[in-house]
Amino acid sequence: MTHRRAVFFLLPRRTGWAHATIVTCAAIALLSGLIGCDKKQAKPAQPTTEAVGSSTAHLEATIKARPVVFAPVPPAPKPGALASDASCVTAECHADYTRAPQIHGPIAERACKTCHADDAGGHKYPLKRSGDATCTFCHSVSGTQAHQHKALDQGCTACHSPHVSTAKFLLKKDNVEQLCLGCHNLPLKGYAHEPFIKGQCTLCHQAHQSENAKLLRGGEGAAHCYTCHGQLQSAMKASTFVHKPAAENCDTCHDAHTTDFPHQLRKPVDQTCLSCHKEIQKVIDQSSVKHAAMTIEKQCANCHNPHASDNRDLMIARMDQTCLTCHDKPLKAADGHTIKNMKPVLTQSEFLHGPIRAGSCSGCHDPHGAKHDSLLDRAFPKSFYAPFDLKQYDLCFGCHESKMVLTKQTTNLTNFRDGPTNLHYAHVNNDEKGRTCKTCHALHGSDLPNHIATEVPFEGSNWTMPIGYEKTIDGGTCSPGCHKPRSYNRRSPATRPVIFSPGAKALPVTKLTTQPTTRGTP
């Protein structure tokens, strides 16, 4: 003990942390020496061939040979009351307040008394104002707009440090993203909105208050999104048809932060659309024939613009043009047959079927799904020949007068007649071998009047049968592979087949001398 006192008396007198540090170092050195003197000399560690670090032997030998004891160091005592002109920031006290990346203005000016009152005893300097009043005395950031950040209930210091910080605005975290994630747990998913992935929460949200729900900066609903997506806003304003959810609230379909689906969609494309369009969901569920466009690539967006369009039903183009984005080439159907390239027929035919001429493929087809072949929305005979059943012609007689196949004699139901004999009735209304519409007509378009086909696939074979049709003023002639050439005349009925010879003309009909002037006129 005598040696220990001698050491302490030789030390110069210091105050504060310097004093404590010197005392501690001296004590450690003295204790280490004394402990070593009181014990027998430790045996040297036995040599080993093991590589250093391959076992704990080297470490254990070192620990046993030279134990270390650390004496507790008491904290430096707080100073007493400071002089009125003394600074709180010195080399010994609050020194980090001069070195931090972000320093509160009063601290930087050494104006601690802006917020703190005089020493209340024991080196305690209470705030001049209670709670957030200390902050709001200078910073008026809340209480004046419709929506307040709930974090304000926890006080300003829940987010901000009152003295110094590593981040702008004296945030308690290193950046805005980390601060917000302390309360708003939004785990990153497969797709993320660019401001979110960059941690720019305040690009969209006000930190304290806003006139808009969710503290949005740009306005309510879609108005906020338009602050960045201005091109979309312009397109919607210029469009004839606008998707109502897109005009009102983008959040209906999109997640503003992060999601598992492209384009920030809350659900896959089909589920996003069908969650509102229940009637389409019902059609799909009840359909035995599916439209591939509903399942491949962009699904509903293959045909529809989800925001706005100049075409009805928000089609990306007029319906026939939309269909040709896929049907401009041969396609393999689900049942294995090949759907032919429809572009030449739809774009080059002189005479187009009425719905096609209007650009409405849905006049006959349901683009979402159907119970009939080729996505036809009503019944239509599949074959070249079929026993007559009026129900099998629901598709045709949705537009055409069904009496044309129910009446034997007529002068006005159809122009396909020989005198008063109704030749539509004669061809179709046959219980044994009725000819269906596709026997003579090209259903989409043709270069012949009345949509007469130049050739048709013959029933049950690979043979393409020529029709050999020629229109006249009062009727016409045809020379198909299924029967001998025949003619019909509405004013002078033909009584026998007309036999054609090379260079001969059909008799007794009169040839048409003027061309039709209106596209598609029958």
Side-chain angles (χ1 to χ4, degrees):
M1 294 299 294
T2 303
H3 295 291
R4 296 180 187 180
R5 290 195 184 96
V7 172
F8 277 98
F9 283 124
L10 289 173
L11 293 173
R13 291 190 173 273
R14 303 261 183 187
T15 59
W17 63 271
H19 183 191
T21 302
I22 295 173
V23 170
T24 301
C25 294
I28 291 172
L30 182 59
L31 287 172
S32 300
L34 291 175
I35 291 171
C37 293
D38 292 339
K39 292 188 175 287
K40 294 180 180 179
Q41 186 173 2
K43 294 181 179 180
Q46 295 297 318
T48 177
T49 59
E50 292 182 348
V52 176
S54 62
S55 71
T56 59
H58 303 86
L59 180 60
E60 290 172 353
T62 303
I63 294 173
K64 292 176 181 178
R66 194 176 295 278
V68 179
V69 178
F70 293 97
V73 180
K78 289 185 177 181
L82 298 177
S84 58
D85 58 348
S87 173
C88 298
V89 180
T90 66
E92 295 178 338
C93 296
H94 306 298
D96 59 329
Y97 285 7
T98 63
R99 298 190 298 268
Q102 300 290 327
I103 303 174
H104 196 188
I107 302 298
E109 297 294 330
R110 306 294 196 272
C112 303
K113 291 185 178 180
T114 302
C115 301
H116 294 275
D118 293 335
D119 190 352
H123 197 71
K124 295 180 179 179
Y125 294 85
L127 293 173
K128 288 183 175 180
R129 303 164 193 86
S130 60
D132 289 343
T134 300
C135 303
T136 57
F137 182 78
C138 294
H139 304 284
S140 179
V141 295
S142 64
T144 58
Q145 296 183 5
H147 299 273
Q148 302 293 304
H149 194 180
K150 191 171 180 62
L152 293 172
D153 296 341
Q154 303 174 36
C156 302
T157 55
C159 297
H160 301 279
S161 172
H163 300 110
V164 294
S165 172
T166 59
K168 191 177 180 181
F169 305 118
L170 298 175
L171 298 180
K172 282 195 165 181
K173 300 290 185 179
D174 288 340
N175 52 56
V176 171
E177 178 185 22
Q178 292 180 15
L179 185 70
C180 296
L181 288 176
C183 295
H184 303 282
N185 185 19
L186 295 171
L188 184 64
K189 298 180 181 179
Y191 299 87
H193 196 192
E194 186 172 356
F196 177 80
I197 196 66
K198 290 183 176 180
Q200 298 171 333
C201 307
T202 54
L203 186 65
C204 294
H205 302 279
Q206 294 279 13
H208 300 102
Q209 62 177 352
S210 173
E211 292 293 349
N212 310 306
K214 301 179 182 178
L215 301 177
L216 292 175
R217 288 183 176 273
E220 295 283 359
H224 169 73
C225 300
Y226 293 152
T227 58
C228 288
H229 300 282
Q231 288 183 334
L232 177 59
Q233 181 185 25
S234 299
M236 293 177 69
K237 285 183 177 180
S239 297
T240 306
F241 302 97
V242 177
H243 196 191
K244 188 176 180 181
E248 295 178 351
N249 190 358
C250 307
D251 198 47
T252 302
C253 300
H254 301 279
D255 189 301
H257 299 103
T258 182
T259 176
D260 288 325
F261 309 102
H263 308 295
Q264 301 301 118
L265 288 175
R266 293 182 176 274
K267 304 174 184 177
V269 175
D270 58 337
Q271 294 181 29
T272 299
C273 299
L274 297 175
S275 61
C276 289
H277 297 282
K278 303 292 186 183
E279 73 286 358
I280 302 299
Q281 178 71 74
K282 186 176 180 180
V283 169
I284 295 172
D285 292 343
Q286 296 177 352
S287 297
S288 55
V289 181
K290 309 296 183 182
H291 193 186
M294 293 290 295
T295 58
I296 63 173
E297 298 176 352
K298 298 183 290 184
Q299 299 175 298
C300 304
N302 283 318
C303 300
H304 300 278
N305 188 311
H307 300 109
S309 173
D310 284 330
N311 304 288
R312 294 186 62 182
D313 301 317
L314 297 174
M315 301 292 289
I316 58 175
R318 200 175 84 155
M319 183 176 288
D320 56 339
Q321 297 171 7
T322 299
C323 295
L324 285 177
T325 59
C326 290
H327 291 280
D328 59 348
K329 53 189 171 294
L331 297 173
K332 186 70 70 175
D335 63 2
H337 84 278
T338 299
I339 303 171
K340 70 176 183 179
N341 179 2
M342 297 302 300
K343 187 172 182 178
V345 175
L346 299 189
T347 61
Q348 299 174 19
S349 297
E350 184 177 354
F351 300 97
L352 293 173
H353 194 189
I356 300 297
R357 194 164 61 246
S360 178
C361 302
S362 62
C364 298
H365 303 276
D366 192 319
H368 300 108
K371 298 179 181 179
H372 307 285
D373 287 347
S374 304
L375 293 172
L376 295 175
D377 62 4
R378 283 156 288 178
F380 182 76
K382 298 180 182 179
S383 59
F384 191 89
Y385 294 117
F388 177 70
D389 182 354
L390 188 62
K391 293 180 180 179
Q392 289 299 309
Y393 293 89
D394 282 348
L395 180 70
C396 300
F397 296 129
C399 296
H400 299 283
E401 176 56 64
S402 62
K403 290 181 181 180
M404 74 166 61
V405 296
L406 298 175
T407 307
K408 290 184 179 181
Q409 301 288 315
T410 182
T411 58
N412 59 1
L413 288 176
T414 175
N415 284 334
F416 186 37
R417 66 182 191 273
D418 192 36
T421 301
N422 183 353
L423 297 179
H424 271 120
Y425 176 92
H427 282 76
V428 178
N429 200 325
N430 189 314
D431 290 338
E432 293 184 3
K433 203 174 182 182
R435 279 76 167 174
T436 64
C437 304
K438 65 176 65 175
T439 303
C440 300
H441 296 282
L443 304 179
H444 295 94
S446 169
D447 288 333
L448 297 174
N450 305 107
H451 316 307
I452 299 297
T454 57
E455 56 187 22
V456 293
F458 191 73
E459 183 78 9
S461 74
N462 294 324
W463 176 49
T464 301
M465 183 184 75
I467 298 295
Y469 174 76
E470 188 174 2
K471 185 176 181 178
T472 65
I473 293 176
D474 296 321
T477 63
C478 62
S479 182
C482 59
H483 60 68
K484 294 179 180 180
R486 292 183 180 179
S487 65
Y488 65 96
N489 190 298
R490 290 181 290 275
R491 289 191 292 182
S492 301
T495 58
R496 66 184 186 280
V498 178
I499 306 300
F500 288 90
S501 59
K505 296 183 180 294
L507 296 175
V509 297
T510 304
K511 289 291 294 179
L512 182 66
T513 57
T514 58
Q515 295 296 322
T517 57
T518 304
R519 182 180 177 86
T521 300

